[in-house]
mmCIF file of all heavy atoms in Angstrom:
data_model
loop_
_atom_site.group_PDB
_atom_site.id
_atom_site.type_symbol
_atom_site.label_atom_id
_atom_site.label_comp_id
_atom_site.label_asym_id
_atom_site.label_seq_id
_atom_site.Cartn_x
_atom_site.Cartn_y
_atom_site.Cartn_z
ATOM 1 N N THR D 1 -3.507 -11.342 101.351
ATOM 2 C CA THR D 1 -3.529 -12.124 102.591
ATOM 3 C C THR D 1 -3.125 -13.559 102.331
ATOM 4 O O THR D 1 -2.644 -14.244 103.252
ATOM 5 C CB THR D 1 -4.935 -12.089 103.216
ATOM 6 O OG1 THR D 1 -5.885 -12.622 102.285
ATOM 7 C CG2 THR D 1 -5.328 -10.679 103.602
ATOM 8 N N ARG D 2 -3.301 -14.017 101.096
ATOM 9 C CA ARG D 2 -2.881 -15.381 100.732
ATOM 10 C C ARG D 2 -1.445 -15.397 100.198
ATOM 11 O O ARG D 2 -1.002 -16.391 99.627
ATOM 12 C CB ARG D 2 -3.824 -15.963 99.688
ATOM 13 C CG ARG D 2 -5.257 -16.148 100.217
ATOM 14 C CD ARG D 2 -6.183 -16.593 99.099
ATOM 15 N NE ARG D 2 -7.541 -16.786 99.608
ATOM 16 C CZ ARG D 2 -8.598 -17.052 98.830
ATOM 17 N NH1 ARG D 2 -8.430 -17.153 97.510
ATOM 18 N NH2 ARG D 2 -9.785 -17.209 99.348
ATOM 19 N N GLN D 3 -0.759 -14.244 100.340
ATOM 20 C CA GLN D 3 0.631 -14.106 99.932
ATOM 21 C C GLN D 3 0.811 -14.289 98.425
ATOM 22 O O GLN D 3 1.836 -14.788 97.961
ATOM 23 C CB GLN D 3 1.523 -15.061 100.719
ATOM 24 C CG GLN D 3 1.462 -14.826 102.223
ATOM 25 C CD GLN D 3 2.427 -15.717 103.001
ATOM 26 O OE1 GLN D 3 3.157 -16.490 102.422
ATOM 27 N NE2 GLN D 3 2.431 -15.567 104.306
ATOM 28 N N ASP D 4 -0.201 -13.895 97.662
ATOM 29 C CA ASP D 4 -0.114 -13.903 96.206
ATOM 30 C C ASP D 4 -0.135 -12.449 95.750
ATOM 31 O O ASP D 4 -1.192 -11.870 95.487
ATOM 32 C CB ASP D 4 -1.273 -14.683 95.596
ATOM 33 C CG ASP D 4 -1.200 -14.749 94.085
ATOM 34 O OD1 ASP D 4 -0.127 -14.416 93.540
ATOM 35 O OD2 ASP D 4 -2.204 -15.113 93.446
ATOM 36 N N VAL D 5 1.045 -11.848 95.656
ATOM 37 C CA VAL D 5 1.143 -10.413 95.390
ATOM 38 C C VAL D 5 1.412 -10.132 93.924
ATOM 39 O O VAL D 5 0.667 -9.410 93.260
ATOM 40 C CB VAL D 5 2.227 -9.773 96.274
ATOM 41 C CG1 VAL D 5 2.349 -8.271 95.981
ATOM 42 C CG2 VAL D 5 1.937 -10.011 97.757
ATOM 43 N N PHE D 6 2.481 -10.707 93.393
ATOM 44 C CA PHE D 6 2.908 -10.384 92.037
ATOM 45 C C PHE D 6 2.222 -11.324 91.042
ATOM 46 O O PHE D 6 2.777 -12.347 90.652
ATOM 47 C CB PHE D 6 4.434 -10.496 91.921
ATOM 48 C CG PHE D 6 5.152 -9.515 92.793
ATOM 49 C CD1 PHE D 6 5.674 -9.900 94.016
ATOM 50 C CD2 PHE D 6 5.316 -8.196 92.390
ATOM 51 C CE1 PHE D 6 6.341 -8.992 94.816
ATOM 52 C CE2 PHE D 6 5.975 -7.272 93.199
ATOM 53 C CZ PHE D 6 6.484 -7.682 94.413
ATOM 54 N N SER D 7 1.023 -10.938 90.624
ATOM 55 C CA SER D 7 0.259 -11.745 89.670
ATOM 56 C C SER D 7 -0.464 -10.831 88.695
ATOM 57 O O SER D 7 -0.731 -9.658 88.985
ATOM 58 C CB SER D 7 -0.750 -12.642 90.398
ATOM 59 O OG SER D 7 -1.752 -11.865 91.037
ATOM 60 N N ARG D 8 -0.787 -11.384 87.527
ATOM 61 C CA ARG D 8 -1.471 -10.609 86.498
ATOM 62 C C ARG D 8 -2.894 -10.250 86.911
ATOM 63 O O ARG D 8 -3.433 -9.227 86.487
ATOM 64 C CB ARG D 8 -1.477 -11.376 85.181
ATOM 65 C CG ARG D 8 -0.092 -11.448 84.518
ATOM 66 C CD ARG D 8 -0.160 -11.986 83.127
ATOM 67 N NE ARG D 8 1.149 -11.918 82.488
ATOM 68 C CZ ARG D 8 1.570 -10.873 81.788
ATOM 69 N NH1 ARG D 8 0.801 -9.809 81.687
ATOM 70 N NH2 ARG D 8 2.761 -10.886 81.224
ATOM 71 N N ARG D 9 -3.528 -11.089 87.707
ATOM 72 C CA ARG D 9 -4.885 -10.748 88.178
ATOM 73 C C ARG D 9 -4.870 -9.496 89.027
ATOM 74 O O ARG D 9 -5.747 -8.646 88.903
ATOM 75 C CB ARG D 9 -5.456 -11.920 88.980
ATOM 76 C CG ARG D 9 -5.927 -13.088 88.134
ATOM 77 C CD ARG D 9 -6.632 -14.115 88.991
ATOM 78 N NE ARG D 9 -7.145 -15.220 88.193
ATOM 79 C CZ ARG D 9 -7.836 -16.231 88.686
ATOM 80 N NH1 ARG D 9 -8.074 -16.287 90.003
ATOM 81 N NH2 ARG D 9 -8.274 -17.194 87.905
ATOM 82 N N ASN D 10 -3.867 -9.388 89.867
ATOM 83 C CA ASN D 10 -3.759 -8.174 90.697
ATOM 84 C C ASN D 10 -3.556 -6.944 89.827
ATOM 85 O O ASN D 10 -4.086 -5.863 90.150
ATOM 86 C CB ASN D 10 -2.611 -8.316 91.691
ATOM 87 C CG ASN D 10 -2.936 -9.264 92.813
ATOM 88 O OD1 ASN D 10 -4.081 -9.639 93.022
ATOM 89 N ND2 ASN D 10 -1.914 -9.694 93.542
ATOM 90 N N ILE D 11 -2.809 -7.097 88.738
ATOM 91 C CA ILE D 11 -2.605 -5.972 87.825
ATOM 92 C C ILE D 11 -3.935 -5.522 87.233
ATOM 93 O O ILE D 11 -4.240 -4.320 87.196
ATOM 94 C CB ILE D 11 -1.621 -6.349 86.705
ATOM 95 C CG1 ILE D 11 -0.220 -6.594 87.282
ATOM 96 C CG2 ILE D 11 -1.573 -5.252 85.649
ATOM 97 C CD1 ILE D 11 0.772 -7.086 86.260
ATOM 98 N N ARG D 12 -4.744 -6.489 86.775
ATOM 99 C CA ARG D 12 -6.022 -6.135 86.169
ATOM 100 C C ARG D 12 -6.933 -5.424 87.157
ATOM 101 O O ARG D 12 -7.565 -4.409 86.838
ATOM 102 C CB ARG D 12 -6.707 -7.413 85.644
ATOM 103 C CG ARG D 12 -8.013 -7.137 84.925
ATOM 104 C CD ARG D 12 -8.580 -8.375 84.280
ATOM 105 N NE ARG D 12 -9.064 -9.326 85.278
ATOM 106 C CZ ARG D 12 -8.496 -10.484 85.538
ATOM 107 N NH1 ARG D 12 -7.401 -10.849 84.880
ATOM 108 N NH2 ARG D 12 -8.992 -11.305 86.450
ATOM 109 N N TRP D 13 -6.996 -5.931 88.383
ATOM 110 C CA TRP D 13 -7.865 -5.317 89.396
ATOM 111 C C TRP D 13 -7.329 -3.944 89.814
ATOM 112 O O TRP D 13 -8.118 -3.018 90.011
ATOM 113 C CB TRP D 13 -7.984 -6.240 90.594
ATOM 114 C CG TRP D 13 -8.824 -7.453 90.312
ATOM 115 C CD1 TRP D 13 -9.882 -7.525 89.457
ATOM 116 C CD2 TRP D 13 -8.676 -8.748 90.861
ATOM 117 N NE1 TRP D 13 -10.416 -8.793 89.440
ATOM 118 C CE2 TRP D 13 -9.691 -9.585 90.307
ATOM 119 C CE3 TRP D 13 -7.801 -9.324 91.783
ATOM 120 C CZ2 TRP D 13 -9.848 -10.918 90.636
ATOM 121 C CZ3 TRP D 13 -7.943 -10.661 92.110
ATOM 122 C CH2 TRP D 13 -8.961 -11.450 91.550
ATOM 123 N N LEU D 14 -6.026 -3.814 89.966
ATOM 124 C CA LEU D 14 -5.443 -2.524 90.338
ATOM 125 C C LEU D 14 -5.666 -1.480 89.253
ATOM 126 O O LEU D 14 -5.898 -0.303 89.548
ATOM 127 C CB LEU D 14 -3.959 -2.679 90.634
ATOM 128 C CG LEU D 14 -3.593 -3.379 91.964
ATOM 129 C CD1 LEU D 14 -2.095 -3.613 92.055
ATOM 130 C CD2 LEU D 14 -4.080 -2.560 93.143
ATOM 131 N N ARG D 15 -5.615 -1.905 87.980
ATOM 132 C CA ARG D 15 -5.873 -0.963 86.901
ATOM 133 C C ARG D 15 -7.328 -0.492 86.915
ATOM 134 O O ARG D 15 -7.615 0.683 86.643
ATOM 135 C CB ARG D 15 -5.537 -1.607 85.560
ATOM 136 C CG ARG D 15 -4.042 -1.548 85.241
ATOM 137 C CD ARG D 15 -3.700 -2.277 83.972
ATOM 138 N NE ARG D 15 -2.313 -2.032 83.584
ATOM 139 C CZ ARG D 15 -1.661 -2.756 82.693
ATOM 140 N NH1 ARG D 15 -2.271 -3.783 82.081
ATOM 141 N NH2 ARG D 15 -0.417 -2.479 82.380
ATOM 142 N N TRP D 16 -8.247 -1.388 87.239
ATOM 143 C CA TRP D 16 -9.644 -0.982 87.365
ATOM 144 C C TRP D 16 -9.795 0.070 88.462
ATOM 145 O O TRP D 16 -10.507 1.067 88.291
ATOM 146 C CB TRP D 16 -10.516 -2.181 87.682
ATOM 147 C CG TRP D 16 -11.227 -2.748 86.494
ATOM 148 C CD1 TRP D 16 -10.933 -3.885 85.793
ATOM 149 C CD2 TRP D 16 -12.393 -2.187 85.864
ATOM 150 N NE1 TRP D 16 -11.815 -4.056 84.770
ATOM 151 C CE2 TRP D 16 -12.733 -3.043 84.777
ATOM 152 C CE3 TRP D 16 -13.172 -1.064 86.109
ATOM 153 C CZ2 TRP D 16 -13.819 -2.789 83.950
ATOM 154 C CZ3 TRP D 16 -14.256 -0.806 85.275
ATOM 155 C CH2 TRP D 16 -14.562 -1.666 84.222
ATOM 156 N N ILE D 17 -9.113 -0.139 89.573
ATOM 157 C CA ILE D 17 -9.190 0.825 90.680
ATOM 158 C C ILE D 17 -8.598 2.168 90.271
ATOM 159 O O ILE D 17 -9.196 3.230 90.477
ATOM 160 C CB ILE D 17 -8.452 0.272 91.905
ATOM 161 C CG1 ILE D 17 -9.142 -0.997 92.424
ATOM 162 C CG2 ILE D 17 -8.386 1.312 93.021
ATOM 163 C CD1 ILE D 17 -8.342 -1.754 93.464
ATOM 164 N N ALA D 18 -7.404 2.136 89.670
ATOM 165 C CA ALA D 18 -6.690 3.364 89.334
ATOM 166 C C ALA D 18 -7.444 4.171 88.276
ATOM 167 O O ALA D 18 -7.699 5.362 88.459
ATOM 168 C CB ALA D 18 -5.275 3.025 88.851
ATOM 169 N N TYR D 19 -7.765 3.523 87.163
ATOM 170 C CA TYR D 19 -8.423 4.262 86.087
ATOM 171 C C TYR D 19 -9.879 4.573 86.454
ATOM 172 O O TYR D 19 -10.444 5.551 85.938
ATOM 173 C CB TYR D 19 -8.352 3.466 84.788
ATOM 174 C CG TYR D 19 -6.952 3.440 84.206
ATOM 175 C CD1 TYR D 19 -6.116 2.350 84.383
ATOM 176 C CD2 TYR D 19 -6.455 4.536 83.502
ATOM 177 C CE1 TYR D 19 -4.830 2.322 83.869
ATOM 178 C CE2 TYR D 19 -5.167 4.524 82.990
ATOM 179 C CZ TYR D 19 -4.368 3.418 83.179
ATOM 180 O OH TYR D 19 -3.091 3.420 82.661
ATOM 181 N N GLY D 20 -10.482 3.779 87.328
ATOM 182 C CA GLY D 20 -11.816 4.101 87.826
ATOM 183 C C GLY D 20 -11.813 5.382 88.630
ATOM 184 O O GLY D 20 -12.709 6.231 88.497
ATOM 185 N N GLN D 21 -10.805 5.554 89.493
ATOM 186 C CA GLN D 21 -10.707 6.785 90.274
ATOM 187 C C GLN D 21 -10.464 7.976 89.371
ATOM 188 O O GLN D 21 -11.021 9.070 89.596
ATOM 189 C CB GLN D 21 -9.585 6.671 91.306
ATOM 190 C CG GLN D 21 -9.461 7.921 92.193
ATOM 191 C CD GLN D 21 -8.392 7.785 93.247
ATOM 192 O OE1 GLN D 21 -7.759 6.755 93.373
ATOM 193 N NE2 GLN D 21 -8.190 8.843 94.018
ATOM 194 N N LEU D 22 -9.661 7.789 88.329
ATOM 195 C CA LEU D 22 -9.415 8.878 87.378
ATOM 196 C C LEU D 22 -10.710 9.256 86.659
ATOM 197 O O LEU D 22 -10.990 10.444 86.424
ATOM 198 C CB LEU D 22 -8.357 8.443 86.373
ATOM 199 C CG LEU D 22 -7.826 9.524 85.419
ATOM 200 C CD1 LEU D 22 -7.171 10.667 86.203
ATOM 201 C CD2 LEU D 22 -6.839 8.929 84.438
ATOM 202 N N ALA D 23 -11.527 8.248 86.330
ATOM 203 C CA ALA D 23 -12.804 8.516 85.663
ATOM 204 C C ALA D 23 -13.761 9.249 86.603
ATOM 205 O O ALA D 23 -14.473 10.183 86.180
ATOM 206 C CB ALA D 23 -13.432 7.210 85.181
ATOM 207 N N VAL D 24 -13.814 8.854 87.868
ATOM 208 C CA VAL D 24 -14.686 9.528 88.837
ATOM 209 C C VAL D 24 -14.267 10.984 89.022
ATOM 210 O O VAL D 24 -15.113 11.881 89.112
ATOM 211 C CB VAL D 24 -14.666 8.768 90.182
ATOM 212 C CG1 VAL D 24 -15.348 9.591 91.279
ATOM 213 C CG2 VAL D 24 -15.357 7.422 90.049
ATOM 214 N N THR D 25 -12.973 11.240 89.049
ATOM 215 C CA THR D 25 -12.488 12.613 89.158
ATOM 216 C C THR D 25 -12.909 13.440 87.952
ATOM 217 O O THR D 25 -13.312 14.601 88.077
ATOM 218 C CB THR D 25 -10.952 12.626 89.293
ATOM 219 O OG1 THR D 25 -10.567 11.827 90.426
ATOM 220 C CG2 THR D 25 -10.443 14.032 89.512
ATOM 221 N N SER D 26 -12.843 12.831 86.769
ATOM 222 C CA SER D 26 -13.283 13.524 85.547
ATOM 223 C C SER D 26 -14.781 13.818 85.587
ATOM 224 O O SER D 26 -15.222 14.885 85.176
ATOM 225 C CB SER D 26 -12.934 12.682 84.313
ATOM 226 O OG SER D 26 -11.541 12.428 84.245
ATOM 227 N N LEU D 27 -15.564 12.870 86.092
ATOM 228 C CA LEU D 27 -17.009 13.072 86.209
ATOM 229 C C LEU D 27 -17.312 14.198 87.198
ATOM 230 O O LEU D 27 -18.249 14.985 86.982
ATOM 231 C CB LEU D 27 -17.686 11.776 86.664
ATOM 232 C CG LEU D 27 -17.750 10.642 85.632
ATOM 233 C CD1 LEU D 27 -18.257 9.357 86.293
ATOM 234 C CD2 LEU D 27 -18.633 11.025 84.464
ATOM 235 N N SER D 28 -16.553 14.273 88.280
ATOM 236 C CA SER D 28 -16.737 15.362 89.244
ATOM 237 C C SER D 28 -16.444 16.713 88.618
ATOM 238 O O SER D 28 -17.146 17.713 88.873
ATOM 239 C CB SER D 28 -15.829 15.152 90.463
ATOM 240 O OG SER D 28 -16.135 13.942 91.119
ATOM 241 N N PHE D 29 -15.430 16.769 87.765
ATOM 242 C CA PHE D 29 -15.113 18.007 87.049
ATOM 243 C C PHE D 29 -16.256 18.397 86.118
ATOM 244 O O PHE D 29 -16.646 19.577 86.037
ATOM 245 C CB PHE D 29 -13.818 17.829 86.258
ATOM 246 C CG PHE D 29 -13.455 19.003 85.401
ATOM 247 C CD1 PHE D 29 -12.856 20.120 85.952
ATOM 248 C CD2 PHE D 29 -13.739 19.003 84.042
ATOM 249 C CE1 PHE D 29 -12.523 21.210 85.169
ATOM 250 C CE2 PHE D 29 -13.421 20.095 83.253
ATOM 251 C CZ PHE D 29 -12.808 21.194 83.819
ATOM 252 N N LEU D 30 -16.822 17.421 85.400
ATOM 253 C CA LEU D 30 -17.949 17.675 84.506
ATOM 254 C C LEU D 30 -19.171 18.161 85.282
ATOM 255 O O LEU D 30 -19.876 19.098 84.865
ATOM 256 C CB LEU D 30 -18.288 16.415 83.717
ATOM 257 C CG LEU D 30 -19.471 16.496 82.747
ATOM 258 C CD1 LEU D 30 -19.175 17.515 81.642
ATOM 259 C CD2 LEU D 30 -19.758 15.123 82.137
ATOM 260 N N LEU D 31 -19.431 17.537 86.426
ATOM 261 C CA LEU D 31 -20.563 17.939 87.267
ATOM 262 C C LEU D 31 -20.380 19.354 87.790
ATOM 263 O O LEU D 31 -21.320 20.171 87.791
ATOM 264 C CB LEU D 31 -20.718 16.959 88.412
ATOM 265 C CG LEU D 31 -21.850 17.227 89.411
ATOM 266 C CD1 LEU D 31 -23.198 17.227 88.715
ATOM 267 C CD2 LEU D 31 -21.841 16.199 90.530
ATOM 268 N N ASN D 32 -19.179 19.670 88.231
ATOM 269 C CA ASN D 32 -18.891 21.015 88.743
ATOM 270 C C ASN D 32 -19.110 22.053 87.640
ATOM 271 O O ASN D 32 -19.658 23.144 87.890
ATOM 272 C CB ASN D 32 -17.459 21.078 89.252
ATOM 273 C CG ASN D 32 -17.140 22.389 89.929
ATOM 274 O OD1 ASN D 32 -17.514 22.627 91.064
ATOM 275 N ND2 ASN D 32 -16.431 23.248 89.218
ATOM 276 N N TRP D 33 -18.726 21.737 86.412
ATOM 277 C CA TRP D 33 -18.904 22.660 85.288
ATOM 278 C C TRP D 33 -20.376 22.913 85.001
ATOM 279 O O TRP D 33 -20.795 24.059 84.785
ATOM 280 C CB TRP D 33 -18.209 22.089 84.059
ATOM 281 C CG TRP D 33 -18.458 22.913 82.817
ATOM 282 C CD1 TRP D 33 -17.799 24.044 82.427
ATOM 283 C CD2 TRP D 33 -19.479 22.681 81.834
ATOM 284 N NE1 TRP D 33 -18.329 24.518 81.249
ATOM 285 C CE2 TRP D 33 -19.357 23.709 80.859
ATOM 286 C CE3 TRP D 33 -20.449 21.708 81.674
ATOM 287 C CZ2 TRP D 33 -20.201 23.783 79.758
ATOM 288 C CZ3 TRP D 33 -21.282 21.774 80.581
ATOM 289 C CH2 TRP D 33 -21.157 22.796 79.628
ATOM 290 N N SER D 34 -21.192 21.846 85.004
ATOM 291 C CA SER D 34 -22.614 22.006 84.708
ATOM 292 C C SER D 34 -23.319 22.826 85.792
ATOM 293 O O SER D 34 -24.188 23.661 85.474
ATOM 294 C CB SER D 34 -23.287 20.634 84.553
ATOM 295 O OG SER D 34 -23.295 19.928 85.793
ATOM 296 N N ILE D 35 -22.948 22.611 87.056
ATOM 297 C CA ILE D 35 -23.553 23.411 88.137
ATOM 298 C C ILE D 35 -23.146 24.867 88.016
ATOM 299 O O ILE D 35 -23.956 25.774 88.195
ATOM 300 C CB ILE D 35 -23.120 22.839 89.510
ATOM 301 C CG1 ILE D 35 -23.688 21.420 89.715
ATOM 302 C CG2 ILE D 35 -23.588 23.749 90.650
ATOM 303 C CD1 ILE D 35 -23.166 20.733 90.959
ATOM 304 N N GLU D 36 -21.888 25.115 87.680
ATOM 305 C CA GLU D 36 -21.417 26.479 87.549
ATOM 306 C C GLU D 36 -22.137 27.220 86.428
ATOM 307 O O GLU D 36 -22.469 28.414 86.568
ATOM 308 C CB GLU D 36 -19.910 26.478 87.293
ATOM 309 C CG GLU D 36 -19.286 27.870 87.301
ATOM 310 C CD GLU D 36 -17.771 27.803 87.288
ATOM 311 O OE1 GLU D 36 -17.215 27.525 86.210
ATOM 312 O OE2 GLU D 36 -17.152 28.019 88.341
ATOM 313 N N GLN D 37 -22.399 26.544 85.305
ATOM 314 C CA GLN D 37 -23.110 27.181 84.208
ATOM 315 C C GLN D 37 -24.536 27.564 84.623
ATOM 316 O O GLN D 37 -25.035 28.644 84.268
ATOM 317 C CB GLN D 37 -23.150 26.243 82.986
ATOM 318 C CG GLN D 37 -21.785 25.945 82.395
ATOM 319 C CD GLN D 37 -21.010 27.190 82.039
ATOM 320 O OE1 GLN D 37 -21.496 28.052 81.307
ATOM 321 N NE2 GLN D 37 -19.792 27.291 82.552
ATOM 322 N N ALA D 38 -25.188 26.688 85.399
ATOM 323 C CA ALA D 38 -26.547 26.997 85.871
ATOM 324 C C ALA D 38 -26.525 28.171 86.849
ATOM 325 O O ALA D 38 -27.403 29.039 86.818
ATOM 326 C CB ALA D 38 -27.153 25.758 86.536
ATOM 327 N N VAL D 39 -25.532 28.229 87.711
ATOM 328 C CA VAL D 39 -25.416 29.327 88.683
ATOM 329 C C VAL D 39 -25.197 30.655 87.968
ATOM 330 O O VAL D 39 -25.835 31.668 88.278
ATOM 331 C CB VAL D 39 -24.285 29.035 89.672
ATOM 332 C CG1 VAL D 39 -23.898 30.288 90.436
ATOM 333 C CG2 VAL D 39 -24.687 27.947 90.656
ATOM 334 N N LEU D 40 -24.294 30.680 86.999
ATOM 335 C CA LEU D 40 -23.990 31.920 86.286
ATOM 336 C C LEU D 40 -25.214 32.440 85.522
ATOM 337 O O LEU D 40 -25.353 33.659 85.323
ATOM 338 C CB LEU D 40 -22.828 31.691 85.314
ATOM 339 C CG LEU D 40 -21.459 31.410 85.953
ATOM 340 C CD1 LEU D 40 -20.424 31.090 84.893
ATOM 341 C CD2 LEU D 40 -21.001 32.587 86.809
ATOM 342 N N ALA D 41 -26.090 31.528 85.095
ATOM 343 C CA ALA D 41 -27.263 31.935 84.344
ATOM 344 C C ALA D 41 -28.416 32.385 85.242
ATOM 345 O O ALA D 41 -29.285 33.126 84.800
ATOM 346 C CB ALA D 41 -27.727 30.779 83.441
#
């Protein structure tokens, strides 16, 4: 909104968002696996 788009700070924050979402997706996969093991047992 302040028209500061191409900056290194934005890169750092965008990387946190991107890799954070990837980590959350991985955690969801791990959670799904643990629930499935309990169900099968």
Side-chain angles (χ1 to χ4, degrees):
T1 59
R2 295 175 180 174
Q3 300 184 1
D4 182 13
V5 179
F6 297 100
S7 65
R8 289 190 174 270
R9 284 187 177 182
N10 287 345
I11 294 175
R12 183 173 70 250
W13 288 328
L14 287 173
R15 278 176 171 165
W16 260 104
I17 296 169
Y19 288 100
Q21 182 177 358
L22 188 61
V24 169
T25 304
S26 301
L27 289 172
S28 299
F29 175 80
L30 179 63
L31 179 60
N32 187 77
W33 174 83
S34 66
I35 295 174
E36 187 170 76
Q37 296 306 306
V39 165
L40 293 175

